[in-house]
C-alpha cells in the first residue's frame, strides 16, 4: 500500500520536489548594513536605500549576487559612481570594476522601491470587513523574506551590524533593531535612527511603523537593560497583562544562561494580523496582538509562554544563530525549552514537568499522524516546513532529557559554556556536543545520534510483577516500536525507584531526586525486551519508572490496580500520576474508581486532573461520568475546561443539563467554550438554541464563539450549516473563523445532505487571505477526504505565498489520494470494529452492574 513508506511505517517528511539544502558558498563577509527607509502606509509602498559594507574573503570579488524579490532597484553606486547591475526575478547582480581586493572592504548603496509586497513587509489598514483595524506596517523576515524589503545576502550564516533610519509622518512611531540613537522632527516628518552593534543575521531585521504607544517597564538584569512594550492606542492595560513579567524573565534567564542579556534594550511590539505568534527580531520582538488580553481571559490565559519563548531567542537564535535552517532546533528547541524553564522559575517544578510532558505529547501526535523525521534534517522544499513540532517540541523535550542525562549542575554548566563559547557566532549541533564535552567530559555523540540525528523514539511498555515467595520484583521494559537491523532498539539508562510505603498524598514541586524511603536502581536498556529481577526485603507499595520523566517517547505502565492507585495518589511526579490514571481508567475496577473519586477531592496539580478527565471521558463508563459531573465545579478553571470537554463523550440529558449553565456562566472564556463544544456532542434538544445564542455574542479572540461553532457541527443537524457558514465570514474574529472551518468539515462529515454546500465553501476558504484560516480550511478538506478538492489543493500547493499553506495543501492532497486507494472494505471493517467495541462496552457495563452488591 502507498500508506506507509520506509520511515519505519511513518509518512515521509520530504515532499516531492524536496532536495538537500546546504548553505551557499561565501566570497565576502557582510560587515554592516545601513538601511534608510521611507514607508508610505497609505500607498503600501517603501522607498529605501540600503548601503552595504562587505569584505572580500580570500580572492578579489568582481561581482556579488544579492537576494531581492519584487524589488525595483533604481540605482547602485560605490563612492558616488554608478555600478553596473543585472536585475533578475529574485536577485540583483552587482559588478565591481575594479574588483574588491582580497581582504579589502567596499561599501555600495542600492536605491530601491517596494510596492504592494507579497511577503516580508505587510501593510495593515482598516477595510470594510474590519473597520476597527489601524493603519500600520510591519516586516517579517524569517526565514528568508528580508529579500522582499531590501536587497541583501539573505542567509543565516551572514551576520552583520545594522543601522536603520526610518522616516515617518509626524505622530507615527517607528521601531527597528538596537538602540534608538536619534529621534528628530523635520517639518511634518519624524526620523528615527536605530543602531544594532552586535552582528545579527538579516532574518532578524525589523521595521514596524504606526501610531504605537510606548510603555517603559522596569530596567532588568545585570546590565539594567531598558525594557519596553508598544501597543496600538487603547491596548495599554492588555499590554501590561501580556508583557508584565518580562523584566523578571530576563533576570531568570540571565541567572541560568550565565551570559547577561546581550543587546542594548529589549522591547516587544504588538501588531495586528501578524502571521506568527511572535518573532524574535534582535532586541525588538514583534508579537501578535492576539496575545493582548482582557481581565476575564487572564483567569486562565497567560502570554508568558509566548513572551518567554521570544525572549529566550535573544540568546538562542539572535546571539547564537543556527548556521543553516537544518539546525534550526538550536533556535526553536531552546526557545521552547526556556518556556518550560520560565514555568519552573515562576510556577514550580510540577508546571515544568507537565509542560514538558505536553510538549512530548504534541510531538508524538505529529510523529504518529503526520510524518517522522530527524530533528536535524536538510531535505525540504521551503525552510519554513522545518518549523514543526519535531523542531520545537521534540527539540525542547530533548533538552529536558539532556538535563536528566547530565544532572542539573552539569547541564547548566554545559549550557553556560555553549553560550559563552559561541556568542555572536553561528552554530551547528556539533557545537553543542563539543561544548558539553568541554564542560563535563561527557561524550554525547551517541545520545545525539539517537534523539536528534535519527527520527522516531522508543515506545515503551513497562510492567512489574512481585514474587512474594522469593521477594523478587520483576520489571520488564519492552520497546514496541519497529526494531530491525537498520533501526536498532534505543539504548539508555533509566532509573527505577522503589518505596516500601507509598505516601498518602503527592508532594508538590518535588525535584526528580529520590523521596524519603526511596531506593533508586539504575536500569540499562539496550534490547527490544529487557527483564530486570530485583531482590527486595519487602513488596514495594510504590514503584517509580523514570521518576524524572526524562525518556523522550511514549511510556505505558502496567503496574496493576493497587500499585497504579498508589502512584496516582502519592507519586511526587505529575507524569507518573498521569500514567497511573491512564492505567486505572482502562482498569475500571473498584480500586480505580475510588482512586479517581479521591483525586478529584485532593489532587494538588490541575494538569493531573485535566489528563484524568480526558481518560475518564474516553471510557464512556457511567461511573466515569459521575466523577466528571462532580469535577465540573472544581476550583481550577483548567480542570473545569478539561472536565467539560470530557463530558462531551456522554450523550444524555443529565450531562447536557449540567453543561448548560457552565456554558453560559462560567468565569472563564475557555471553560464556556469547552462546555459549548461538549453540549453539541450531547445532541440534546436544548443545545441548538444555546449554541446559536452563544455564537451571536463577541468575546476575546472569539474564544467562546469558537466553542459554540464546534458544538453546532457535533449536532449532526442540517440546521447548523447556516450559522456555521455565518461564522466563517470575513468580519468575524480570526480565531472563530479558524474554528468554523473545522466545524464546516465536521458538518460535511456528519450531515451528508449538506456535503455539497460545505465542499463549495471550503473550496473558497482554502485560499483565504488570512493564512491561518486557509490552513484550517485545508485541514478540514483533508479530514473530509473528498477528492473533488484535489484541483484546488494542487493550485494552492503551487501558488500560495506562505510556505506553510503550500506544504499543508500538498500534504492534504497526498492523504486524500492515499485514502482513495484504500479499498472500501477497509472502511466497512472499521465500522464493524467500532460496533463490536460498542457492544463490548455495553456488556462490560452490564457485568459491572451485576457485580455490584
Ligand atoms: Zn521561536
Amino acid at each position: 500500500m502507498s500508506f506507509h513508506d520506509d520511515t519505519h511505517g511513518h509518512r515521509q517528511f520530504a515532499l516531492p520536489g524536496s532536495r538537500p539544502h546546504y548553505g551557499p558558498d561565501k566570497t565576502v563577509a557582510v560587515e554592516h548594513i545601513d538601511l534608510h527607509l521611507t514607508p508610505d502606509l497609505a500607498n503600501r509602498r517603501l522607498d529605501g536605500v540600503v548601503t552595504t559594507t562587505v569584505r572580500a574573503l580570500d580572492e578579489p570579488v568582481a561581482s556579488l549576487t544579492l537576494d531581492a524579490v519584487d524589488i525595483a532597484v533604481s540605482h547602485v553606486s560605490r563612492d558616488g559612481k554608478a555600478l553596473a547591475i543585472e536585475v533578475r526575478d529574485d536577485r540583483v547582480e552587482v559588478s565591481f570594476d575594479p574588483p574588491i581586493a582580497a581582504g579589502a572592504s567596499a561599501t555600495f548603496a542600492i536605491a530601491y522601491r517596494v510596492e504592494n509586497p507579497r511577503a516580508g513587509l505587510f501593510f495593515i489598514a482598516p477595510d470594510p470587513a474590519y473597520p476597527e483595524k489601524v493603519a500600520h506596517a510591519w516586516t517579517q523576515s524569517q526565514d528568508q523574506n528580508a529579500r522582499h524589503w531590501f536587497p541583501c545576502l539573505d542567509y543565516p550564516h551572514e551576520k552583520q551590524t545594522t543601522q536603520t533610519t526610518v522616516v515617518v509622518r509626524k505622530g507615527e512611531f517607528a521601531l527597528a533593531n538596537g538602540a534608538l540613537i536619534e529621534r528628530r522632527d523635520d517639518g511634518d516628518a519624524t526620523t528615527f535612527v536605530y543602531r544594532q552593534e552586535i552582528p545579527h543575521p538579516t532574518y532578524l531585521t525589523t521595521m514596524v511603523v504606526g501610531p504605537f504607544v510606548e510603555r517603559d517597564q522596569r530596567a532588568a538584569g545585570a546590565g539594567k537593560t531598558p525594557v519596553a512594550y508598544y501597543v496600538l492606542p487603547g491596548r495599554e492595560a492588555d499590554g501590561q497583562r501580556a508583557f508584565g513579567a518580562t523584566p523578571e524573565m530576563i533576570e531568570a534567564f540571565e541567572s541560568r544562561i550565565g551570559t547577561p542579556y546581550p543587546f542594548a534594550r529589549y522591547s516587544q511590539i504588538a501588531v495586528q494580523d501578524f502571521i506568527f505568534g511572535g518573532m524574535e527580531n534582535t532586541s525588538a520582538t514583534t508579537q501578535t496582538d492576539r496575545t493582548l488580553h482582557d481581565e476575564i481571559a487572564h483567569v486562565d490565559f497567560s502570554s508568558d509562554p509566548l513572551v518567554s519563548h521570544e525572549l529566550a531567542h535573544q540568546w538562542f537564535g539572535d546571539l547564537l544563530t543556527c548556521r543553516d535552517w537544518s539546525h534550526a532546533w538550536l533556535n526553536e528547541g531552546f526557545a521552547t525549552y526556556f518556556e518550560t524553564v520560565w514555568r519552573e522559575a515562576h510556577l514550580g517544578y510540577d508546571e515544568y514537568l507537565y509542560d514538558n510532558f505536553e510538549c512530548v505529547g504534541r510531538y508524538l501526535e505529529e510523529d504518529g499522524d503526520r510524518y517522522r523525521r530527524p530533528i536535524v534534517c536538510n531535505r525540504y522544499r521551503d525552510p519554513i516546513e522545518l518549523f514543526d513540532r519535531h523542531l520545537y517540541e521534540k527539540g525542547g523535550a530533548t533538552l529536558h532529557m539532556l538535563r536528566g542525562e547530565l544532572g542539573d549542575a552539569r547541564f547548566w554548566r554545559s549550557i553556560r559554556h555553549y553560550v559563552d563559547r559561541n556568542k555572536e557566532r553561528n552554530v551547528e549541533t556539533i557545537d553543542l556536543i563539543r561544548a558539553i564535552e568541554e564542560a563535563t567530559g561527557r561524550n554525547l555523540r551517541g545520545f545525539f545520534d539517537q534523539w536528534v540525528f535519527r527520527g522516531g523514539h522508543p515506545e515503551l511498555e513497562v510492567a512489574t510483577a512481585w514474587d512474594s515467595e522469593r521477594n523478587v520484583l520483576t520489571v520488564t521494559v519492552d520497546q514496541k516500536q519497529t526494531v530491525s537491523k537498520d533501526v536498532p532498539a534505543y539504548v539508555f539508562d533509566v532509573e527505577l525507584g522503589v518505596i516500601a510505603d507509598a505516601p498518602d498524598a503527592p508532594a508538590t514541586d518535588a525535584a526528580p531526586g529520590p523521596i524519603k524511603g526511596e531506593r533508586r536502581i539504575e536500569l540499562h536498556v539496550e534490547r527490544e525486551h529487557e527483564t530486570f529481577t530485583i531482590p527486595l526485603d519487602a513488596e514495594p507499595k510504590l514503584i517509580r519508572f523514570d521518576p524524572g520523566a526524562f525518556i523522550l517517547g511514549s511510556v505505558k505502565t502496567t503496574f496493576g490496580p493497587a500499585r497504579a492507585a498508589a502512584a496516582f495518589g502519592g507519586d511526587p511526579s505529575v507524569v507518573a500520576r498521569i500514567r497511573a490514571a491512564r492505567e486505572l481508567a482502562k482498569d475500571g475496577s473498584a480500586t480505580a474508581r475510588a482512586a479517581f473519586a479521591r483525586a478529584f477531592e485532593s489532587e494538588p496539580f490541575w494538569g493531573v486532573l485535566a489528563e484524568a478527565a480526558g481518560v475518564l471521558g474516553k471510557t464512556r463508563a457511567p461511573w466515569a461520568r459521575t466523577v466528571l459531573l462532580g469535577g465540573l465545579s472544581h476550583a481550577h478553571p483548567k480542570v473545569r475546561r478539561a472536565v467539560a470537554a470530557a463530558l462531551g463523550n456522554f450523550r444524555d440529558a443529565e450531562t447536557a443539563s449540567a453543561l448548560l449553565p457552565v456554558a453560559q456562566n462560567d468565569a472563564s472564556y475557555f471553560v464556556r467554550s469547552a462546555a459549548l463544544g461538549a453540549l453539541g456532542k450531547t445532541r440534546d434538544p436544548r443545545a441548538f438554541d444555546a449554541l446559536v445564542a452563544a455564537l451571536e455574542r463577541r468575546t476575546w479572540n472569539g474564544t467562546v464563539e469558537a466553542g459554540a461553532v464546534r458544538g453546532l457541527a457535533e449536532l449532526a443537524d442540517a440546521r447548523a450549516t447556516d450559522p456555521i457558514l455565518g461564522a466563517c465570514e470575513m468580519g468575524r474574529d480570526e480565531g472563530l473563523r479558524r474554528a468554523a472551518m473545522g466545524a464546516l468539515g465536521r458538518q460535511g462529515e456528519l450531515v451528508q445532505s449538506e456535503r455539497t454546500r460545505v465542499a463549495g465553501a471550503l473550496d473558497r476558504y482554502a485560499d483565504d487571505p488570512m493564512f491561518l484560516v486557509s490552513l484550517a480550511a485545508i485541514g478540514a478538506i483533508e479530514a473530509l477526504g473528498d477528492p473533488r478538492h484535489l484541483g484546488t489543493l494542487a493550485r494552492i500547493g503551487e501558488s500560495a505565498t506562505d510556505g506553510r499553506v503550500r506544504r499543508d495543501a500538498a500534504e492534504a492532497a497526498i492523504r486524500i489520494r492515499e485514502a482513495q486507494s484504500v479499498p472500501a472494505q477497509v472502511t466497512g471493517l472499521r465500522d464493524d470494529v467500532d460496533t463490536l467495541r460498542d457492544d463490548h462496552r455495553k456488556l462490560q457495563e452490564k457485568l459491572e452492574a451485576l457485580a455490584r452488591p
Side-chain angles (χ1 to χ4, degrees):
M1 280 203 302
S2 63
F3 222 78
H4 297 310
D5 59 33
D6 57 0
T7 57
H8 338 315
H10 287 68
R11 287 190 179 86
Q12 262 178 349
F13 166 72
L15 292 173
S18 299
R19 58 178 178 80
H21 285 71
Y22 306 95
D25 296 333
K26 285 175 73 144
T27 57
V28 297
V30 181
E31 293 182 325
H32 183 68
I33 292 174
D34 180 289
L35 285 162
H36 192 285
L37 306 166
T38 311
D40 178 343
L41 299 186
N43 295 303
R44 307 167 66 80
R45 194 163 66 204
L46 175 73
D47 285 306
V49 178
V50 56
T51 307
T52 311
T53 303
V54 298
R55 179 172 44 82
L57 297 179
D58 297 329
E59 291 170 17
V61 172
S63 82
L64 194 58
T65 303
L66 298 161
D67 300 298
V69 182
D70 298 338
I71 291 181
V73 173
S74 55
H75 187 72
V76 182
S77 61
R78 179 184 176 187
D79 302 328
K81 274 187 281 184
L83 295 179
I85 55 166
E86 194 142 348
V87 179
R88 301 183 195 279
D89 272 357
D90 58 353
R91 54 194 194 273
V92 50
E93 211 175 288
V94 181
S95 300
F96 298 94
D97 185 15
I100 310 167
S105 293
T107 299
F108 60 99
I110 305 178
Y112 65 94
R113 171 172 281 191
V114 175
E115 277 184 291
N116 287 313
R118 283 183 300 153
L121 171 60
F122 296 77
F123 290 97
I124 311 300
D127 60 50
Y130 299 94
E132 69 285 358
K133 274 195 209 165
V134 176
H136 64 294
W138 44 263
T139 59
Q140 171 57 35
S141 303
Q142 197 178 13
D143 35 78
Q144 41 191 31
N145 288 336
R147 63 187 69 176
H148 284 264
W149 62 282
F150 65 95
C152 54
L153 289 177
D154 200 4
Y155 203 77
H157 70 191
E158 208 65 68
K159 295 177 90 170
Q160 56 269 309
T161 54
T162 55
Q163 179 160 315
T164 312
T165 304
V166 191
V167 182
V168 297
R169 282 204 328 215
K170 204 167 170 180
E172 277 167 358
F173 170 77
L175 181 66
N177 307 99
L180 176 66
I181 55 170
E182 195 183 345
R183 175 183 188 153
R184 61 170 191 273
D185 289 330
D186 256 328
D188 55 0
T190 305
T191 300
F192 293 82
V193 185
Y194 289 88
R195 192 169 172 87
Q196 169 62 34
E197 298 281 4
I198 295 178
H200 67 144
T202 51
Y203 82 86
L204 292 169
T205 51
T206 185
M207 175 197 72
V208 182
V209 174
F212 290 91
V213 180
E214 176 169 7
R215 282 285 177 271
D216 285 331
Q217 296 178 267
R218 175 171 72 76
K224 287 277 172 255
T225 302
V227 183
Y229 66 82
Y230 302 90
V231 289
L232 289 166
R235 305 302 302 271
E236 294 86 345
D238 294 349
Q240 180 58 30
R241 267 186 286 275
F243 305 132
T246 311
E248 285 92 311
M249 281 180 199
I250 290 176
E251 284 154 6
F253 288 176
E254 280 190 355
S255 74
R256 283 162 180 78
I257 298 168
T259 297
Y261 175 84
F263 306 116
R265 63 193 300 255
Y266 186 60
S267 70
Q268 295 167 90
I269 189 162
V271 303
Q272 295 178 337
D273 291 356
F274 197 48
I275 57 170
F276 286 86
M279 181 62 216
E280 66 271 20
N281 299 314
T282 314
S283 82
T285 289
T286 309
Q287 303 279 23
T288 169
D289 71 339
R290 300 180 65 78
T291 202
L292 306 178
H293 56 278
D294 61 23
E295 251 174 297
I296 300 177
H298 206 55
V299 167
D300 53 349
F301 173 84
S302 168
S303 298
D304 280 10
L306 174 66
V307 172
S308 53
H309 179 105
E310 305 308 335
L311 176 64
H313 272 312
Q314 300 298 319
W315 286 267
F316 304 103
D318 299 9
L319 187 63
L320 288 73
T321 307
C322 62
R323 192 185 177 288
D324 61 58
W325 297 117
S326 56
H327 293 273
W329 84 281
L330 297 172
N331 295 10
E332 299 302 346
F334 273 78
T336 304
Y337 184 65
F338 272 77
E339 294 175 39
T340 310
V341 168
W342 167 246
R343 260 178 206 264
E344 180 184 12
H346 175 55
L347 299 170
Y349 197 78
D350 288 351
E351 288 274 355
Y352 165 88
L353 202 58
Y354 183 58
D355 200 43
N356 185 71
F357 176 76
E358 285 192 299
C359 271
V360 173
R362 284 194 295 273
Y363 150 69
L364 290 174
E365 219 176 84
E366 181 172 87
D367 177 85
D369 298 348
R370 209 171 166 196
Y371 51 69
R372 169 168 291 182
R373 70 175 184 88
I375 293 178
V376 173
C377 109
N378 71 352
R379 284 187 76 89
Y380 51 80
R381 300 195 306 191
D382 297 313
I384 193 76
E385 293 173 34
L386 296 170
F387 288 70
D388 61 3
R389 297 179 187 183
H390 283 70
L391 198 72
Y392 286 72
E393 278 89 347
K394 191 183 185 188
T398 300
L399 292 172
H400 169 65
M401 187 169 40
L402 182 63
R403 186 169 162 182
E405 177 71 29
L406 294 172
D408 264 23
R410 280 191 294 266
F411 173 76
W412 287 113
R413 198 158 77 231
S414 299
I415 298 295
R416 284 195 283 274
H417 181 61
Y418 166 65
V419 172
D420 185 55
R421 192 185 201 291
N422 294 288
K423 60 189 172 199
E424 301 186 28
R425 293 169 44 178
N426 285 102
V427 281
E428 296 174 278
T429 305
I430 187 68
D431 296 306
L432 177 61
I433 298 171
R434 291 204 173 113
I436 296 166
E437 195 169 20
E438 287 164 3
T440 69
R442 292 287 309 274
N443 177 358
L444 291 188
R445 283 167 181 79
F447 175 98
F448 281 83
D449 265 355
Q450 283 196 140
W451 308 100
V452 176
F453 296 116
R454 196 207 292 172
H457 54 264
E459 294 165 26
L460 302 180
E461 289 192 8
V462 184
T464 55
W466 174 253
D467 180 341
S468 53
E469 309 240 309
R470 296 186 303 139
N471 271 9
V472 166
L473 175 71
T474 306
V475 178
T476 55
V477 180
D478 291 335
Q479 300 195 33
K480 305 299 271 190
Q481 76 280 8
T482 309
V483 173
S484 67
K485 191 163 57 60
D486 298 328
V487 192
Y490 280 80
V491 181
F492 54 91
D493 293 325
V494 59
E495 283 193 309
L496 184 84
V498 289
I499 304 162
D501 290 310
D504 289 343
T508 49
D509 295 322
I515 57 170
K516 193 162 163 278
E518 179 178 353
R519 184 182 147 201
R520 286 282 170 93
I521 300 139
E522 188 153 291
L523 311 178
H524 178 71
V525 175
E526 59 177 35
R527 288 170 304 185
E528 204 173 344
H529 307 288
E530 297 278 8
T531 303
F532 304 93
T533 48
I534 303 154
L536 295 170
D537 296 339
E539 179 178 2
K541 293 287 187 304
L542 184 64
I543 298 173
R544 312 183 66 198
F545 176 79
D546 188 18
F550 292 122
I551 304 300
L552 200 172
S554 65
V555 179
K556 189 177 149 204
T557 49
T558 309
F559 288 173
R563 274 193 292 268
F568 189 29
D571 196 299
S573 154
V574 298
V575 173
R577 303 211 287 284
I578 291 164
R579 285 178 187 149
R582 287 177 177 173
E583 179 179 347
L584 289 168
K586 284 213 183 78
D587 175 74
S589 62
T591 309
R593 295 172 197 191
F596 278 103
R598 198 172 86 117
F600 273 87
E601 295 290 316
S602 59
E603 164 60 45
F605 184 65
W606 66 269
V608 173
L609 289 180
E611 298 288 333
V615 294
L616 284 176
K618 282 196 193 120
T619 66
R620 301 192 170 182
W623 69 269
R625 194 193 65 135
T626 307
V627 176
L628 288 170
L629 285 173
L632 260 189
S633 53
H634 195 276
H636 201 296
K638 288 187 183 171
V639 175
R640 295 201 301 280
R641 192 194 301 187
V643 166
L647 280 168
N649 289 294
F650 302 89
R651 208 169 275 172
D652 62 80
E654 195 191 341
T655 301
S657 296
L659 286 168
L660 265 165
V662 176
Q664 285 158 347
N665 306 322
D666 195 277
S668 149
Y669 292 138
F670 294 95
V671 179
R672 272 188 258 161
S673 184
L676 286 163
L679 185 63
K681 284 186 171 176
T682 66
R683 299 193 183 163
D684 186 89
R686 293 163 288 176
F688 182 78
D689 289 341
L691 294 168
V692 170
L695 197 50
E696 292 305 313
R697 292 186 213 111
R698 298 283 188 276
T699 60
W700 172 74
N701 281 358
T703 306
V704 175
E705 301 93 294
V709 82
R710 284 189 197 103
L712 277 167
E714 293 297 336
L715 294 174
D717 183 337
R719 287 181 302 163
T721 310
D722 284 330
I724 295 173
L725 284 172
C728 291
E729 281 173 17
M730 274 297 218
R732 299 305 305 258
D733 183 273
E734 185 205 51
L736 171 61
R737 296 190 68 221
R738 284 160 62 186
M741 296 304 143
L744 209 49
R746 188 79 175 132
Q747 182 74 354
E749 237 171 88
L750 295 178
V751 191
Q752 276 300 320
S753 62
E754 299 297 290
R755 194 75 185 251
T756 304
R757 275 179 87 194
V758 162
L762 284 176
D763 225 54
R764 278 199 308 284
Y765 290 120
D767 54 359
D768 193 85
M770 290 182 182
F771 97 95
L772 286 172
V773 172
S774 151
L775 287 184
I778 292 167
I781 284 172
E782 184 185 318
L784 263 181
D786 191 334
R788 78 180 101 174
H789 293 291
L790 285 170
T792 305
L793 293 175
R795 179 174 55 76
I796 295 171
E798 287 300 316
S799 66
T801 23
D802 195 296
R804 291 166 288 186
V805 176
R806 287 196 298 274
R807 163 107 209 169
D808 279 22
E811 269 190 49
I814 290 171
R815 306 262 170 107
I816 291 175
R817 286 214 186 81
E818 279 175 1
Q820 291 286 297
S821 68
V822 176
Q825 298 99 295
V826 174
T827 320
L829 280 172
R830 279 197 195 122
D831 289 344
D832 290 349
V833 170
D834 282 346
T835 315
L836 281 170
R837 277 212 189 104
D838 244 26
D839 290 348
H840 178 245
R841 183 175 52 77
K842 282 179 197 146
L843 274 171
Q844 240 182 352
E845 281 172 22
K846 274 190 195 150
L847 273 172
E848 279 172 18
L850 284 171
R852 260 174 236 147

